[in-house]
């Protein structure tokens, strides 16, 4: 018998352990939801890898979660959220949520001086995803980015 979409779990993944923070918050906000978490600690960090490798790992992580019959996927990884093409996300057939847009909205709400600093992996910063998202939300925002080593 096929599970109803409402009964299926939400899949959450990250390239390491940082996504456990997101998982903890999801448990607090959605106490009645079943969650499946995948942290790819074997290949952490993703952010020092080339884009092709990041995409290959991401798609493998997503396939694993789809194999768990999830109703949606939350990507708690900035590197993957900034690298995974929108067309691929839309092709999954279930909702896919990354962190870039949501973190950007939160940063714009919090800034008191119109300036936002973003630190991240080389891959996250070089993608320009945060700068683009922040400028889309508020074109007057002054964004400073800095890639950080491990």
């Amino acid at each position: 018998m096929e599970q109803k979409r409402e009964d299926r779990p939400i899949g959450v993944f990250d390239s390491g352990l940082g996504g456990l923070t997101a998982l903890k918050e999801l448990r607090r906000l959605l106490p009645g939801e079943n969650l499946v978490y995948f942290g790819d600690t074997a290949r952490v960090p993703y952010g020092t890898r080339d884009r092709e490798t990041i995409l290959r790992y991401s798609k493998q992580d997503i396939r694993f979660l789809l194999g768990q019959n999830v109703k949606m996927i939350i990507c708690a990884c900035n590197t993957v959220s900034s690298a995974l093409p929108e067309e691929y996300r839309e092709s999954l057939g279930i909702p896919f949520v990354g962190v870039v847009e949501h973190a950007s909205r939160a940063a714009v709400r919090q800034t008191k001086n119109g300036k936002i600093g973003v630190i991240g992996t080389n891959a996250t910063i070089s993608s320009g995803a945060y700068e683009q998202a922040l400028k889309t939300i508020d074109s007057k925002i002054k964004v400073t980015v800095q890639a950080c080593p491990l």
Side-chain angles (χ1 to χ4, degrees):
M1 187 169 137
E2 192 173 313
Q3 265 182 313
K4 290 185 215 171
R5 183 174 180 148
E6 302 81 37
D7 296 336
R8 292 166 32 200
I10 295 172
V12 182
F13 80 102
D14 186 24
S15 64
L17 298 174
L20 291 172
T21 304
L23 187 69
K24 181 180 177 184
E25 187 65 8
L26 285 166
R27 287 204 184 284
R28 185 185 71 77
L29 292 170
L30 305 169
E33 288 288 348
N34 291 319
L35 303 169
V36 174
Y37 179 76
F38 180 77
D40 190 0
T41 57
R43 300 183 295 197
V44 70
Y46 284 13
T48 58
R49 315 236 184 206
D50 63 76
R51 188 167 192 275
E52 286 179 27
T53 302
I54 293 166
L55 293 176
R56 185 173 71 249
Y57 289 175
S58 304
K59 290 174 181 180
Q60 290 169 353
D61 300 346
I62 290 166
R63 274 194 300 275
F64 169 80
L65 290 172
L66 291 173
Q68 304 303 304
N69 196 29
V70 297
K71 63 183 168 189
M72 77 177 294
I73 294 175
I74 298 173
C75 174
C77 178
N78 282 293
T79 298
V80 173
S81 294
S82 64
L84 200 63
E86 189 64 34
E87 310 82 59
Y88 179 79
R89 298 171 193 218
E90 291 171 0
S91 75
L92 296 174
I94 60 171
F96 182 98
V97 179
V99 293
V100 173
E101 183 180 326
H102 298 282
S104 296
R105 274 196 243 125
V108 169
R109 279 194 307 270
Q110 292 297 314
T111 185
K112 293 180 176 25
N113 62 6
K115 298 177 183 176
I116 296 174
V118 179
I119 59 172
T121 65
N122 292 335
T124 299
I125 297 304
S126 67
S127 76
Y130 272 98
E131 293 156 301
Q132 181 180 359
L134 289 162
K135 293 288 187 179
T136 298
I137 296 165
D138 184 343
S139 62
K140 295 176 185 167
I141 289 287
K142 170 76 170 124
V143 182
T144 303
V145 297
Q146 178 64 53
C148 297
L150 296 175

